[in-house]
Amino acid sequence: MIELKNVNKKFGSGQTALDNVSLEINDGEFVFVVGPTGSGKTTLIRLLIRELLPDSGKIIVDKEEITKKNYKKISALRRKTGVVFQDFKLLWERTLAENVALPLEVLGLPGKEIKNKVNQLLDKFKLSDLAQKFPVQISGGELQRVVIARAMIAEPKILLADEPTGNLDPKTSWEIVKLLSDINSSGTTVLMATHNADIVNSLGKRVIRLEHGKIIKDEKEGKYER
Ligand SMILES: Nc1ncnc2c1ncn2[C@@H]1O[C@H](COP(=O)(O)OP(=O)(O)OP(=O)(O)O)[C@@H](O)[C@H]1O
Ligand SMILES: [Mg+2]
């Protein structure tokens, strides 16, 4: 479902972000992407939602080559790909329920349908009590659950999570990973970039390790050696 073929990406000053990266991720897989700071994890995620284009190479998502210059289905791509960014990207003047509703508003769904879907999902994610609060009023772990709920509201086939446990304590980190694992069990392909060795080593999922933009390891039940 996701395929990269010889993908290269450099930034302005000649900084190599991805160096001849090829990989395949099947439908329904759970994949960790690990590697030191600056190894290319976030760049990989930004390429997968076509926020960036590679300098060379191809990226195929759901049988469509998204790297074509004249690719016209960006909104369809974003609909099938939920993203959780390192810095949340929440709207701080909106309630949590309104934040979660956003992707459905963009899709132009009727208000009543949006309300129903949001309530259902908040309930499922145990966030109903927080629906009318604002982002500044809740904890980091709760914020992260809201961001995941927003990423899942349009029922994407793929969920990309960039260090979703970055600023959380171990217990809360585990709750977030459990949530992502449940999402994966219901059929969504999950790619999670992380520095959290404990989580990677406990889950026994596929681990892709990047260093200086190159894949140096890709193991089915991988470990994260520091
Ligand atoms: N917009 C940009 N402009 C210039 N260089 C960039 C840009 N984005 C990333 N880079 C560079 O590309 C390389 C890969 O960055 P990337 O953000 O993908 O790493 P990362 O693995 O996500 O790191 P971290 O673990 O710190 O989040 C780094 O050397 C970085 O400095
Ligand atoms: Mg990053």
Side-chain angles (χ1 to χ4, degrees):
M1 122 158 314
I2 295 174
E3 191 178 359
L4 273 75
K5 288 186 191 169
N6 307 105
V7 169
N8 288 285
K9 180 71 191 172
K10 278 189 191 202
F11 283 102
S13 54
Q15 191 69 29
T16 298
L18 288 181
D19 184 358
N20 202 31
V21 167
S22 297
L23 61 85
E24 272 177 46
I25 297 172
N26 290 322
D27 285 343
E29 266 196 279
F30 190 118
V31 183
F32 286 116
V33 177
V34 303
T37 253
S39 58
K41 305 181 295 298
T42 298
T43 302
L44 172 63
I45 288 175
R46 294 180 66 205
L47 285 164
L48 287 174
I49 54 170
R50 209 179 190 274
E51 210 180 273
L52 291 174
L53 277 170
D55 302 326
S56 61
K58 278 186 189 176
I59 302 176
I60 297 144
V61 177
D62 211 13
K63 302 188 187 87
E64 304 258 8
E65 191 194 327
I66 65 165
T67 36
K68 283 194 177 138
K69 285 277 180 292
N70 61 352
Y71 180 77
K72 294 212 171 61
K73 299 181 188 163
I74 292 180
S75 56
L77 173 68
R78 304 267 164 94
R79 208 173 308 149
K80 57 188 157 199
T81 316
V83 198
V84 173
F85 288 103
Q86 269 167 312
D87 59 354
F88 300 132
K89 295 200 201 292
L90 282 167
L91 297 179
W92 299 89
E93 73 286 0
R94 280 184 162 227
T95 65
L96 301 177
E98 287 165 352
N99 267 287
V100 172
L102 247 154
L104 298 182
E105 283 173 17
V106 173
L107 293 179
L109 261 63
K112 201 168 166 217
E113 197 178 330
I114 293 179
K115 217 173 163 185
N116 286 340
K117 277 185 187 271
V118 168
N119 285 340
Q120 269 176 27
L121 195 67
L122 289 177
D123 195 38
K124 191 170 153 197
F125 283 18
K126 301 191 177 67
L127 290 166
S128 300
D129 293 347
L130 306 178
Q132 299 315 316
K133 294 203 174 188
F134 290 88
V136 287
Q137 298 174 306
I138 64 170
S139 72
E142 290 164 343
L143 275 179
Q144 198 55 275
R145 285 210 327 268
V146 171
V147 174
I148 295 170
R150 186 187 52 185
M152 292 306 296
I153 190 78
E155 295 168 22
K157 292 183 177 178
I158 303 166
L159 179 63
L160 308 171
D162 199 356
E163 294 199 40
T165 64
N167 298 311
L168 306 176
D169 65 37
K171 180 173 169 277
T172 314
S173 297
W174 274 109
E175 287 167 12
I176 294 298
V177 172
K178 171 80 172 55
L179 182 57
L180 295 178
S181 181
D182 290 348
I183 287 168
N184 175 246
S185 300
S186 336
T188 308
T189 306
V190 176
L191 182 152
M192 169 174 164
T194 184
H195 286 290
N196 193 320
D198 289 340
I199 284 174
V200 173
N201 292 338
S202 304
L203 252 72
K205 303 281 192 191
R206 178 174 171 192
V207 181
I208 295 173
R209 185 178 176 96
L210 290 171
E211 254 174 48
H212 303 297
K214 270 190 197 304
I215 295 184
I216 60 153
K217 237 184 215 177
D218 183 351
E219 293 178 328
K220 245 205 156 90
E221 288 175 35
K223 294 280 182 220
Y224 183 8
E225 304 104 28
R226 276 178 280 198

